[in-house]
Amino acid sequence: MNRKYRNTIIAANLKMNMLPSDIKPYAEALKPAAASHGKRCGIVVCPSFLLVPQAIKSFRDSRISVGAQNINQYESGAYTGEVSAPQLADLGVRYVIIGHSERRTLFGETDEAVNAKVHAALAANLRPIVCVGETLTQREMGVTGDVITLQVKSALAGVPAAKMRRIVIAYEPVWAIGTGLAATDEDAATVCREIRTLVRGLYGARIARAVSILYGGSMNEHNARGLLSQPDIDGGLIGSASLSPEALSAIIEIASHDYL
Ligand code: PEP
């Protein structure tokens, strides 16, 4: 990471886990780490929609922001079962994960939908955490660079330079998500560097230098140091390990160290 030019962010993707009643004790367990390190490290917790109001309440007096895991691309209307960006923003949500691989593969989310959701998030003043990543087959075929380029370009299509400081990009190789098999430090660093180069080509050096690029995929308290020491990795999107406030606190502490 490079704190001189960009923010460090540790974001927790709780997925469809926990009950509303679990959020308060989870928040209490996480607050000490946020109090000690929240100045140096942005902390975002993304629970499922139903838990969001309780999360807003429980994290109100802390440095922890609340994020959502998805939005609908429309502002309002006849979209039964969906949740819009303005609804979340009105509650106090600050971030939203967009284009997570589970949404792309399990729910058929296309690059076009991801792009529409990025615009919807920005319009509602939510910060999108845009997920991109290749499957194992794509990696083995040697097309990781092409896949990432297409996903990043599609997600950012039509996003003006002035809005780019609100965007966070998360490189999440699909084969590393929930498998316990994180990318090596070098592989993660290579793709994150390529993403920054791509942003440089699209928006210029100043914006590329300032965009926070996270790594996600089986990051935990044991492998975080190596991953977060890479110059182009500015934080992590954490799934499984974030269910333990102790593990997440340890990652936050690592991400806040001076030596990174
Ligand atoms: C994720 O789903 O965004 C993720 C990174 O999960 P995990 O940490 O469990 O691989």
Side-chain angles (χ1 to χ4, degrees), residues 13 15 100 102 172 176-180 216-219 237-241:
N13 177 7
K15 310 199 183 188
H100 189 279
E102 285 153 18
E172 296 212 303
I177 294 178
T179 59
S218 298
M219 187 187 275
L237 179 53
I238 326 284
S240 318

Side-chain angles (χ1 to χ4, degrees), residues 40-119:
R40 294 174 61 73
C41 176
I43 305 166
V44 186
V45 172
C46 306
S48 47
F49 290 134
L50 194 58
L51 282 57
V52 163
Q54 183 58 51
I56 295 283
K57 200 168 151 196
S58 300
F59 288 119
R60 184 161 289 148
D61 57 347
S62 77
R63 292 184 180 275
I64 300 169
S65 302
V66 175
Q69 299 171 14
N70 181 34
I71 45 168
N72 185 278
Q73 60 263 48
Y74 301 112
E75 219 180 291
S76 63
Y79 302 103
T80 302
E82 293 294 281
V83 174
S84 74
Q87 289 173 329
L88 292 164
D90 189 61
L91 274 179
V93 169
R94 303 267 313 278
Y95 289 79
V96 59
I97 297 170
I98 294 180
H100 189 279
S101 71
E102 285 153 18
R103 300 234 37 104
R104 292 180 190 258
T105 56
L106 302 174
F107 302 101
E109 204 161 285
T110 61
D111 284 335
E112 291 69 31
V114 169
N115 177 245
K117 290 181 182 199
V118 167
H119 284 279

Side-chain angles (χ1 to χ4, degrees), residues 115 119 122 153-161 163 203:
N115 177 245
H119 284 279
L122 291 171
K153 278 189 169 169
S154 314
L156 299 181
V159 173
K163 295 271 183 176
Y203 291 98

